Every structure is written in C-alpha cells, then in structure tokens.
Amino acid sequence: MDGLGDLVDVTTLAVALISVGGTLGGTLGGAVLSQRANREQNERADREREQERQEQAQQAKRDLYARLNTTARAYRIAARDAVHAAERAETIDPAVLDSAKEDWADQYSQAQMALAKDVLHVASTVNGTLQVGYSVVRQLPSSPNLDEAYQRAKTWLSGPMSDGVFLLRVTLRHDLGVEIDPEFEQTRMGMLNALNSARRDLERLLRFSGCRRGW
C-alpha cells in the first residue's frame, strides 16, 4: 500500500506541476503577445503621426506656393493695367499697383524662410524682375520720351516680366511633383540667365534715362 500511495502522491504532484506550469506558461505567453501587440500599435501610431505630419507639411507648401503664384500674377496684371491706362490718358490709381506690390512682398518674405535653395533662386530672380517692372511703370509720367517709355514698359511686361511669372509657376509645380520635365534644370538655368541679363540692362537704361519717379 505504501508503494501505491507513494505512486499516487507522485502522480498528483506531477499533475499539479503540469497544471501550474501550464498556467504560468499561458500567463507568460499572454504577456509576450500583449507586449508585441502594444509595440505594433505604438509603431503604427508613430507611422500615422509621421504620415499626417508630412501631409500637413506638403499642404502648407502647396498653400504657400499657390499664394506666391497668385500674388506674382496679380502684380504683373496690375502693372500691365497701369501702363494701358496711362497710355489711354486715363486716371491711374497708384494704390492698386502698390497693393499688388505689397502683397507679393509679403508672400515672398514668407517664402524666403521656407523655400528650397533652387526654388528660392527662381523666386529671388522673379522678385527682381517684378521690382524693375514696377519702376518702369512708375516712371512713365516723367519720361522725356513717352512713346519710347510706353513701348519699353509694354515690352518688359509682355517679355521678361511675363516670362518670370511663368518660370515661377513651372518651378513651383515641378517642386511639388505636379509637372515633371527631364530637361527642366537646363530650361530653368537658361531662363534665369536671360531674366537677370535683361533686368540689368533695363536697370542701367532707367538710371541713365533721366527719369524721375512719377505719380
């Protein structure tokens, strides 16, 4: 009987140990699975936050680019309208052109803090192109040769100033990935060089033309 009792005790102990081991194993396994699930959830949350941050940054860039493009176009149109009005001897409200100039300057100032180097290079060149366009329009009334001054202004507005606004728009679209041209870099550099050269020539002409600021 003792031997049988001992065997029963050993069997009971083994069953108990197996039961305890199973419980511990299940508990530990559950803890490991829980930790893994939490880790995966945190990683997924991190990815979602990063994606949201990137989308917000991209949207902010698109908004800035849209405002930059809009104010550049409005600036050119205001200058063009002022020239046409002056040529028709109509009353000119300088506040319209000045307001367009200020709106552009505000957006350009913000863009200087956010644009990549290549895009900023284009925006800076366009800024110079718009500024000299403003000067050639404002000096119209005091030009010694009005016919020549009107022709110079119209040529600038329909040529370099229009080309500059066009280049800015294409550059912004290219940077956003909306418009991809394999030869864009070559085109960009060619247009930048042409715009800078034309601006320097016109600035020299205005300095030596004897014009005073008009309006």
Side-chain angles (χ1 to χ4, degrees):
M1 291 295 294
D2 290 343
L4 181 58
D6 292 341
L7 178 60
V8 171
D9 292 340
V10 170
T11 302
T12 301
L13 178 60
V15 170
L17 289 174
I18 291 173
S19 177
V20 172
T23 301
L24 291 174
T27 301
L28 292 174
V32 170
L33 291 175
S34 178
Q35 290 176 354
R36 180 181 300 173
N38 289 336
R39 184 171 63 252
E40 292 175 351
Q41 184 177 4
N42 291 336
E43 290 174 350
R44 183 168 58 254
D46 290 341
R47 288 194 299 270
E48 291 174 352
R49 282 193 294 268
E50 177 61 19
Q51 182 178 357
E52 183 179 1
R53 186 193 66 79
Q54 292 178 358
E55 290 175 351
Q56 290 176 346
Q58 186 71 359
Q59 184 60 51
K61 177 188 281 190
R62 283 194 294 266
D63 292 343
L64 174 60
Y65 282 12
R67 293 193 303 270
L68 203 61
N69 177 62
T70 298
T71 52
R73 290 180 64 252
Y75 195 165
R76 181 183 64 81
I77 291 171
R80 181 201 63 192
D81 291 347
V83 172
H84 289 167
E87 194 172 25
R88 293 190 298 266
E90 298 175 356
T91 300
I92 302 173
D93 182 3
V96 175
L97 181 56
D98 288 345
S99 177
K101 178 177 182 290
E102 291 172 3
D103 289 343
W104 159 259
D106 180 59
Q107 296 304 321
Y108 176 62
S109 177
Q110 294 183 44
Q112 285 179 303
M113 301 296 103
L115 296 182
K117 182 178 180 181
D118 289 346
V119 182
L120 180 59
H121 189 191
V122 171
S124 177
T125 298
V126 173
N127 181 58
T129 303
L130 292 170
Q131 285 183 340
V132 75
Y134 176 84
S135 296
V136 79
V137 173
R138 289 299 301 265
Q139 291 179 359
L140 279 175
S142 61
S143 298
N145 187 330
L146 282 178
D147 290 339
E148 181 181 290
Y150 283 128
Q151 185 58 46
R152 181 169 59 228
K154 288 187 291 185
T155 298
W156 183 259
L157 291 171
S158 63
M161 198 164 176
S162 180
D163 291 344
V165 173
F166 169 77
L167 176 61
L168 177 65
R169 182 175 71 253
V170 173
T171 299
L172 298 178
R173 287 171 59 83
H174 183 84
D175 189 61
L176 288 172
V178 176
E179 185 172 330
I180 303 299
D181 180 359
E183 299 180 356
F184 172 73
E185 182 61 21
Q186 182 178 353
T187 301
R188 181 179 71 89
M189 291 307 300
M191 291 188 69
L192 284 175
N193 291 335
L195 288 173
N196 284 324
S197 177
R199 176 182 53 78
R200 288 191 293 267
D201 289 344
L202 183 54
E203 285 174 341
R204 283 194 295 268
L205 182 61
L206 292 176
R207 281 198 301 269
F208 294 107
S209 65
C211 296
R212 301 180 304 279
R213 181 174 175 139
W215 297 354

